[in-house]
Amino acid sequence: MPAPKAAGALRTIGELAEEIGRPQHILRYWETRFPQLRPLTRAGNRRYYRPEDVALVKRIHDLLTNEGYTIRGVQKLLASEKGGRTPTPKAFSVGSLESIRETLVKALEDDEG
Protein backbone atom coordinates (compact mmCIF):
# COMPACT_ATOMS: atom_id res chain seq x y z
CA MET A 1 0.00 0.00 0.00
CA PRO A 2 1.47 3.39 -0.96
CA ALA A 3 2.22 5.99 1.68
CA PRO A 4 -0.56 8.53 2.26
CA LYS A 5 -0.25 11.78 0.31
CA ALA A 6 0.32 15.13 1.92
CA ALA A 7 -2.79 17.19 2.64
CA GLY A 8 -2.10 19.66 -0.20
CA ALA A 9 -1.17 17.04 -2.82
CA LEU A 10 -3.22 16.53 -5.95
CA ARG A 11 -5.39 13.39 -5.99
CA THR A 12 -6.22 11.27 -9.01
CA ILE A 13 -9.81 10.30 -9.65
CA GLY A 14 -9.02 6.75 -8.54
CA GLU A 15 -7.50 7.88 -5.25
CA LEU A 16 -10.41 10.19 -4.49
CA ALA A 17 -13.02 7.60 -5.48
CA GLU A 18 -11.40 5.08 -3.15
CA GLU A 19 -11.15 7.65 -0.35
CA ILE A 20 -14.89 8.40 -0.39
CA GLY A 21 -15.96 4.87 -1.28
CA ARG A 22 -17.66 5.70 -4.58
CA PRO A 23 -16.86 4.50 -8.12
CA GLN A 24 -14.98 6.81 -10.48
CA HIS A 25 -17.94 7.19 -12.81
CA ILE A 26 -19.90 8.85 -9.99
CA LEU A 27 -17.22 11.54 -9.67
CA ARG A 28 -17.29 12.10 -13.44
CA TYR A 29 -21.09 12.39 -13.25
CA TRP A 30 -20.84 14.92 -10.42
CA GLU A 31 -18.56 17.03 -12.62
CA THR A 32 -21.45 17.31 -15.11
CA ARG A 33 -23.94 18.27 -12.38
CA PHE A 34 -21.86 20.68 -10.26
CA PRO A 35 -20.08 23.45 -12.19
CA GLN A 36 -18.10 24.29 -9.04
CA LEU A 37 -16.30 20.96 -9.35
CA ARG A 38 -13.56 21.46 -11.93
CA PRO A 39 -10.50 19.25 -11.40
CA LEU A 40 -7.35 19.90 -13.40
CA THR A 41 -7.21 17.84 -16.57
CA ARG A 42 -3.97 16.76 -18.18
CA ALA A 43 -2.97 14.77 -21.26
CA GLY A 44 -5.29 11.89 -21.95
CA ASN A 45 -8.05 13.64 -19.98
CA ARG A 46 -6.51 12.55 -16.65
CA ARG A 47 -8.16 14.31 -13.74
CA TYR A 48 -6.25 15.74 -10.80
CA TYR A 49 -8.24 17.02 -7.85
CA ARG A 50 -6.87 19.99 -5.88
CA PRO A 51 -7.45 20.16 -2.09
CA GLU A 52 -10.46 22.47 -2.61
CA ASP A 53 -11.91 19.99 -5.13
CA VAL A 54 -11.40 17.15 -2.63
CA ALA A 55 -13.21 19.17 0.05
CA LEU A 56 -16.10 19.88 -2.33
CA VAL A 57 -16.39 16.21 -3.35
CA LYS A 58 -16.44 15.16 0.30
CA ARG A 59 -19.12 17.77 1.04
CA ILE A 60 -21.26 16.67 -1.90
CA HIS A 61 -20.85 13.04 -0.84
CA ASP A 62 -21.86 13.88 2.75
CA LEU A 63 -24.90 15.91 1.66
CA LEU A 64 -26.10 13.15 -0.66
CA THR A 65 -25.28 10.18 1.57
CA ASN A 66 -25.72 11.37 5.16
CA GLU A 67 -27.91 14.47 4.96
CA GLY A 68 -30.51 13.08 2.55
CA TYR A 69 -30.16 15.75 -0.14
CA THR A 70 -30.97 15.05 -3.77
CA ILE A 71 -28.65 16.11 -6.60
CA ARG A 72 -30.97 19.04 -7.28
CA GLY A 73 -31.00 19.97 -3.59
CA VAL A 74 -27.21 20.04 -3.44
CA GLN A 75 -27.13 22.11 -6.65
CA LYS A 76 -29.47 24.67 -5.10
CA LEU A 77 -27.50 24.74 -1.84
CA LEU A 78 -24.16 25.30 -3.57
CA ALA A 79 -25.68 27.90 -5.91
CA SER A 80 -27.18 29.83 -2.98
CA GLU A 81 -23.82 29.87 -1.21
CA LYS A 82 -22.13 31.13 -4.37
CA GLY A 83 -24.80 33.83 -4.67
CA GLY A 84 -23.62 35.41 -1.43
CA ARG A 85 -26.40 34.27 0.85
CA THR A 86 -23.85 32.64 3.14
CA PRO A 87 -21.09 35.08 4.05
CA THR A 88 -17.54 33.84 3.88
CA PRO A 89 -14.49 35.32 5.60
CA LYS A 90 -13.36 36.73 2.25
CA ALA A 91 -16.58 38.77 2.08
CA PHE A 92 -15.43 41.04 4.93
CA SER A 93 -13.59 44.22 4.04
CA VAL A 94 -10.64 45.52 6.05
CA GLY A 95 -12.80 48.43 7.20
CA SER A 96 -15.53 46.18 8.53
CA LEU A 97 -12.97 44.03 10.36
CA GLU A 98 -11.39 47.13 11.92
CA SER A 99 -14.85 48.26 13.03
CA ILE A 100 -15.49 44.88 14.64
CA ARG A 101 -12.12 45.04 16.37
CA GLU A 102 -12.84 48.54 17.74
CA THR A 103 -16.20 47.35 19.06
CA LEU A 104 -14.56 44.39 20.80
CA VAL A 105 -11.81 46.55 22.31
CA LYS A 106 -14.41 49.01 23.62
CA ALA A 107 -16.47 46.14 25.07
CA LEU A 108 -13.40 44.77 26.87
CA GLU A 109 -12.53 48.22 28.24
CA ASP A 110 -16.11 48.70 29.48
CA ASP A 111 -16.06 45.24 31.06
CA GLU A 112 -12.81 45.99 32.95
CA GLY A 113 -13.91 49.41 34.17
Side-chain angles (χ1 to χ4, degrees):
M1 180 172 194
K5 286 190 169 184
L10 297 177
R11 303 275 194 276
T12 65
I13 191 168
E15 291 168 339
L16 185 54
E18 185 178 322
E19 190 173 329
I20 66 167
R22 293 277 183 130
Q24 294 178 23
H25 72 270
I26 297 293
L27 295 177
R28 288 190 291 273
Y29 172 73
W30 288 352
E31 290 173 26
T32 67
R33 298 285 123 214
F34 303 104
Q36 303 89 338
L37 183 57
R38 288 287 162 241
L40 299 171
T41 52
R42 296 287 191 242
N45 224 13
R46 287 185 52 93
R47 292 165 170 82
Y48 293 96
Y49 292 84
R50 298 171 292 241
E52 56 270 18
D53 297 320
V54 171
L56 180 58
V57 165
K58 287 181 178 181
R59 182 155 185 241
I60 291 169
H61 179 261
D62 181 59
L63 290 169
L64 292 171
T65 306
N66 301 325
E67 301 295 325
Y69 278 79
T70 61
I71 292 282
R72 185 72 187 129
V74 175
Q75 288 171 330
K76 286 181 180 180
L77 179 68
L78 295 177
S80 72
E81 291 174 354
K82 181 183 175 195
R85 294 184 196 165
T86 305
T88 61
K90 293 179 182 177
F92 294 109
S93 69
V94 172
S96 67
L97 292 174
E98 288 173 345
S99 173
I100 292 169
R101 182 175 182 262
E102 290 172 11
T103 303
L104 291 172
V105 168
K106 184 173 181 338
L108 285 171
E109 289 171 351
D110 291 347
D111 196 37
E112 289 175 359

